[in-house]
Amino acid sequence: MATETTAPKARDAERVLPNESAQNAGAPKRRNGRWSGYWQLLKVRLLELKREPEVVFWVFVFPLLLALGLGIAFRNKPADISSVVVIAGEGAQKTVAMLENSPQHSGIRARVLERDAALKAFHFGKFDLAIEPQTDGGFKYYYDPARPESVLSRAEVDAALQSAAGRKDAIATSTEASSEPGSRYIDFLIPGLLGMNLMNSGMWGIGFALVEMRQRKLLKRFVATPMRRTDFLLALTSSRLVLMVIEVGLLLGFGVVVFHMPVLGSIFSVMLLGAIGAVSFGGIGLLTACRAQKIESVSGLINLVMMPMWIFSGVFFSYERFPAITQIFIKALPLTALNDALRATIIEGASLASQSGRLLVLVLWGGISFVLALKWFRWT
Amino acid sequence: MGLTIECTDLRKTYDGKVEAVRGLTLRIASGECFGLLGPNGAGKTTTIEILEGLLASTSGEVRIFGKAWTENPRQLREWIGISLQETRLSEKLTVRETIELFASFYDEPRAPEEVLEELQLTEKSDSWVGKLSGGQKQRLAVATALVGNPRILFLDEPTTGLDPQSRRQLWDIVRGFQKKGGTVLLTTHYMDEAERLCDRLAIVDHGVIIAQGTPADLIDRLGGHHVVEFQVSANGNSDGNASGDSADDADWRALPGVESVRRENSTVCLSVHEPHLTIPALLASVEGKGQRLEHLSTRQASLEDVFVRLTGRHLRED
Ligand SMILES: Nc1ncnc2c1ncn2[C@@H]1O[C@H](COP(=O)(O)OP(=O)(O)OP(=O)(O)O)[C@@H](O)[C@H]1O
Ligand SMILES: [Mg+2]
């Protein structure tokens, strides 16, 4: 019974210390509670993330920049004003005056330019339509049938000029502009960016981080202590959830403040979806990281896993554009499920219960990955 | 005296072909400082990691405080402190945060402040780990091992790459731990470290122990206490095989007090028990052969000599 005889000896020698230090340094030997390891692991993980400028940029700033850039590039012009150019010459000023006096004047903005400059600007898309007054009092339109706004503009301008010239409408009609908030591109985009961001940071924040720690032999050092392995994984997941709340809050807040995006679903539902997404992708990240020894190999693997979802899961454009036969596969991807559920909740105010199919897809991906990852995981 | 660490006929074969450890048996008593000494690739890290329960052995038995790693690993982990050969601790955490983290894993850790004080890291406690010098990083690694208040300290090459002063600081820490009743197992390829620090040591080469005992014992048993080194040349001719040929070796061996003869390039090394008898005889013999002594020195024998004697190689060939 070597234990009985040797172990207490070492203890006794050290027991002298605590009493002393309790008096002078105010640092009595402490007894750690069940969760002390977990809390410390969570704390250092968050500290490390905070101290890593790249993480702050890619996780928080980059999605906002992407939303801002794409939101501006694809913004809807207010009530679709037709921008037209009138080719200078006889009758040009008269044409502008006719347009301004027409009932449609609020929807048309006209400028006069020399012929060459006018046609060039039209071809570059600066104007939707070019108008050339003819010597006989008629007009010639230059329009581009491939550009929807050009087609619209031709109809609009023609109606304006005809009625200014005295044509009477056969029946009276009235119109009302109604650009539904929630149906614009930015409203489509932001939930997609949210989903993509949750995928990115789940895969990198768990998968890459783990392999990096394995490569540094830090995982091995940790399992050489009495640390509970479940605490370690739990802390890593918790850190993802903390980050998730900030990511979702920032991006949604940004959409609401800058683009007046409507959020119809409850913030609780959105956060819950975010949490499920973050944890599922964390599970997939764990699986990609379960054996890789080098960060280079896990980086390749992570990109390989994420690439199809960037393209097919409807982040930037609707996946309806892909052939019908592929839809079932696309819908089985975790990011598709997350994006669709986020859009339904945020834009349409759908209840979580109505999203149960998509949630199931997410939970299955995350759950199966997690179980396999634990089975194959190497700490050393 | 109870046994703290035991292993019997330990074997480890990597991937079915690299035989890193080939039948190693150790008995380390409580309160001992035991050293594993050997050249690169000898199997030191493999052995110590099996003892630490971090690596599965191919065969053989390991007991720590009489318990196998399969019995109650968490309890054993509470009792041991480890510093791996290479761990890169998180660079963007401070020294104190790192120690607090490791302390949090143990049921009854020591106060982090106290450990930092002991390892002279108090000044650096708010610096990021990435900003520490090599020696400070090594001390921090040992601090993470000590903060759990262990009974056994496993140190894998704790002083490799350190300057002499940092090495001595680490030795003091190890001795301090031992003085409080702790048991230490360390690996090293520094002979002087093994000689000064270890109560007992095992010289490991190609996965087996080729000699074991106290440093003095090993030197005594295998080399004699003194080494006489000299070069000779035939008169007026100092080219080529200047120190004579192997035929001469028999003559050197026959000198009084000589234990063994070894050649290194053109230098002849004699392991001797009583240099005051050997040297006059050596001078006479050189003169008698009509040779000229080019160089002569004597020194205390070291473990290095033991190793070279055993393997024909130097411990560090870099
Ligand atoms: N994971 C591994 N896979 C395959 N072979 C390995 C592995 N680890 C070590 N080896 C081989 O096992 C042998 C012993 O290695 P080990 O690391 O135990 O030596 P060491 O004595 O610690 O050397 P050093 O002084 O360089 O640290 C070497 O030949 C090494 O190449
Ligand atoms: Mg080694």
Side-chain angles (χ1 to χ4, degrees), chain A residues 221-370:
Chain A
R221 182 64 189 86
F222 280 159
V223 296
T225 71
M227 179 194 81
R228 290 178 179 82
R229 297 172 188 204
T230 45
D231 282 6
F232 177 81
L233 293 178
L234 218 56
L236 206 60
T237 312
S238 312
S239 74
R240 273 300 303 133
L241 289 178
V242 173
L243 247 62
M244 181 281 296
V245 172
I246 305 175
E247 283 167 48
V248 172
L250 266 181
L251 202 52
L252 269 192
F254 183 81
V256 170
V257 171
V258 178
F259 293 105
H260 306 293
M261 177 186 157
V263 178
L264 298 186
S266 77
I267 199 73
F268 172 77
S269 306
V270 177
M271 286 294 177
L272 196 64
L273 266 178
I276 295 172
V279 173
S280 288
F281 282 111
I284 300 173
L286 191 69
L287 183 60
T288 58
C290 68
R291 295 192 89 85
Q293 293 288 343
K294 292 254 176 311
I295 51 174
E296 290 83 359
S297 46
V298 79
S299 302
L301 209 55
I302 289 177
N303 280 324
L304 193 72
V305 171
M306 295 203 303
M307 180 82 80
M309 290 191 262
W310 282 332
I311 300 171
F312 294 112
S313 288
V315 175
F316 298 102
F317 55 89
S318 168
Y319 57 78
E320 311 280 344
R321 295 180 183 222
F322 291 105
I325 194 165
T326 60
Q327 296 293 318
I328 182 152
F329 298 107
I330 292 178
K331 283 185 179 157
L333 293 173
L335 185 58
T336 317
L338 180 60
N339 282 348
D340 285 353
L342 281 170
R343 283 196 180 112
T345 309
I346 295 173
I347 306 177
E348 294 158 21
S351 69
L352 277 183
S354 69
Q355 301 302 306
S356 50
R358 289 161 178 166
L359 290 181
L360 186 69
V361 170
L362 271 177
V363 169
L364 280 180
W365 274 102
I368 293 174
S369 304
F370 190 75

Side-chain angles (χ1 to χ4, degrees), chain B residues 62-77:
Chain B
V62 175
R63 291 195 170 265
I64 309 289
F65 290 121
K67 291 187 198 303
W69 273 107
T70 44
E71 282 176 46
N72 190 350
R74 241 186 83 74
Q75 184 60 68
L76 282 185
R77 299 232 167 271

Side-chain angles (χ1 to χ4, degrees), chain A residues 167-186:
Chain A
R167 187 177 77 181
K168 286 273 173 281
D169 288 337
I171 42 170
T173 57
S174 70
T175 56
E176 191 185 318
S178 106
S179 169
E180 285 290 329
S183 62
R184 303 162 305 167
Y185 179 64
I186 188 76

Side-chain angles (χ1 to χ4, degrees), chain B residues 40-41 43-46 85 156-157 187:
Chain B
N40 288 129
K44 305 183 295 294
T45 298
T46 306
Q85 185 169 356
D156 196 354
E157 298 196 18
T187 74

Side-chain angles (χ1 to χ4, degrees), chain B residues 19-280:
Chain B
E19 292 189 309
V21 177
R22 303 181 298 157
L24 210 130
T25 299
L26 289 174
R27 301 267 177 269
I28 299 169
S30 165
E32 238 188 333
C33 177
F34 194 94
L36 285 177
L37 182 71
N40 288 129
K44 305 183 295 294
T45 298
T46 306
T47 306
I48 203 169
E49 287 190 354
I50 293 172
L51 296 178
E52 291 162 347
L54 293 175
L55 196 64
S57 62
T58 308
S59 70
E61 204 187 344
V62 175
R63 291 195 170 265
I64 309 289
F65 290 121
K67 291 187 198 303
W69 273 107
T70 44
E71 282 176 46
N72 190 350
R74 241 186 83 74
Q75 184 60 68
L76 282 185
R77 299 232 167 271
E78 293 276 356
W79 287 337
I80 69 174
I82 286 176
S83 149
L84 298 170
Q85 185 169 356
E86 39 156 355
T87 302
R88 280 184 291 134
L89 295 165
S90 300
E91 306 225 314
K92 295 202 169 155
L93 294 178
T94 66
V95 168
R96 183 182 290 113
E97 285 158 358
T98 305
I99 289 297
E100 292 272 1
L101 173 66
F102 278 88
S104 76
F105 299 148
Y106 295 85
D107 277 347
E108 287 186 21
R110 296 177 57 188
E113 298 302 330
E114 183 190 297
V115 177
L116 290 180
E117 177 89 48
E118 189 177 313
L119 298 208
Q120 298 169 31
L121 284 167
T122 310
E123 246 175 73
K124 290 279 164 191
S125 51
D126 292 319
S127 312
W128 284 10
V129 173
K131 300 254 154 66
L132 297 182
S133 74
Q136 290 162 343
K137 275 187 188 146
Q138 280 289 18
R139 288 211 299 274
L140 178 60
V142 176
T144 63
L146 286 175
V147 76
N149 201 9
R151 303 171 188 189
I152 311 178
L153 200 52
F154 288 97
L155 304 172
D156 196 354
E157 298 196 18
T159 63
T160 299
L162 297 190
D163 63 35
Q165 199 198 337
S166 309
R167 291 176 64 203
R168 234 162 281 135
Q169 272 179 339
L170 255 173
W171 295 350
D172 288 341
I173 292 159
V174 172
R175 287 197 195 104
F177 175 77
Q178 207 190 346
K179 208 170 284 165
K180 288 199 253 162
T183 307
V184 184
L185 174 60
L186 60 85
T187 74
T188 181
H189 30 211
Y190 294 115
M191 289 295 175
D192 56 337
E193 183 160 297
E195 276 177 64
R196 287 183 205 191
L197 202 51
C198 300
D199 301 318
R200 280 197 308 138
L201 53 99
I203 300 180
V204 184
D205 193 29
H206 297 302
V208 289
I209 295 176
I210 52 176
Q212 194 171 177
T214 67
D217 192 28
L218 285 173
I219 292 167
D220 209 24
R221 243 193 305 148
L222 291 147
H225 277 293
H226 301 270
V227 177
V228 175
E229 293 174 325
F230 64 92
Q231 290 177 0
V232 291
S233 60
N235 254 340
N237 168 19
S238 60
D239 62 331
N241 191 8
S243 293
D245 49 36
S246 322
D248 289 333
D249 285 358
D251 298 336
W252 308 137
R253 180 73 185 83
L255 293 174
V258 172
E259 277 289 302
S260 67
V261 181
R262 191 177 84 231
R263 275 172 183 281
E264 253 168 54
N265 305 322
S266 58
T267 306
V268 180
C269 306
L270 307 179
S271 297
V272 303
H273 280 302
E274 291 159 306
H276 63 279
L277 296 182
T278 310
I279 289 175

